[in-house]
Amino acid sequence: MLPDWELQLCNEGVRIPALFGSFQVGGIFLTRSRAQAAPTSKLYSQSNDGLLVDAGELDLGTRFGLDVTAIVRMKNALGIETRYFGVTDWKASRVVTDVGGGGVRFEGFGATLPAASEQLDYASRLYSFEINVLPLVTEGMPLVLGFRGLQLHERFELWQTDSVPSVLLLGNRTNNYLYGFQIGAEPYVMGAGGAFRVDGLIKAGIYGNHAAQATVSPLLGSSVRAGRDGPAFAGEAGLTIVYRINRAFALRGGYELIWLSHVALAPNQSRKTDLTAPSAQLDLGTAFLHGATASVEFAF
């Protein structure tokens, strides 16, 4: 038997009977922006000094990740929300050879590394976990007040590919650990009372970022590290279309945009890293992520 009271779930635009809250499980399909329009890491032709590849051309594309949300109502005007999502396999690779036969050379991180053929690899992964209090201040407008942790890890490598096995010429790793508080809202936009409705999402916060980078070149026999603790910004916005099948189940699909500022991106570390000195500082940049979300919701 269901209780005779009704419960407004957070990010629900209508009142539906439920015991405790809702659980959403699905996926997020995020497109990752390129590291920078023109980073200083480039591959040139040895025969005519022509530019063959700019590291800023490496496109990580769109990848899938698990997206899970749970919402529990403490009372009619207060809820607790937790959400986790992670995308772990953004990857881009480019093998470069010189059609003139003179070989190629990489210039970046304060070094020049020539070979007959070379390969650039770039990979990135993102994890997000948050727990929010959702007070329902006005009808259909739950506020978001909570704690969030984000991790962004990146890898940038240069390989000599004219030997078997390939030889690592240069490698860089960056790690970002963002922890802090966020504020926002999860309003319903339209369609209250019907089978279809539109939910909104907007959140932002200032985070403390423990960022670090490490660069190594086995060929040069040198390695450098740099780290920094400082503020970072993370913002998120989106829209979701909800189709409620019955009291217990609903289908959700939408679009989200995520903006991370003052984070360390692996290819960009070439700007302030010199393997020949050796010396290094941490370069901080911006990452944009956007894409579709899809999930099944169960109200319990």
Side-chain angles (χ1 to χ4, degrees), residues 33-35 53-60 92-94 120-122 156 267:
S33 65
R34 299 178 182 183
V53 172
D54 188 313
E57 298 175 2
L58 296 176
D59 187 355
L60 293 172
S93 184
R94 185 78 64 86
L120 285 177
D121 289 337
Y122 181 26
F156 181 78

Side-chain angles (χ1 to χ4, degrees), residues 229-251:
D229 293 323
F233 171 82
E236 184 175 2
L239 289 173
T240 301
I241 298 175
V242 183
Y243 172 63
R244 180 154 299 282
I245 301 172
N246 52 38
R247 185 206 66 86
F249 291 98
L251 301 178

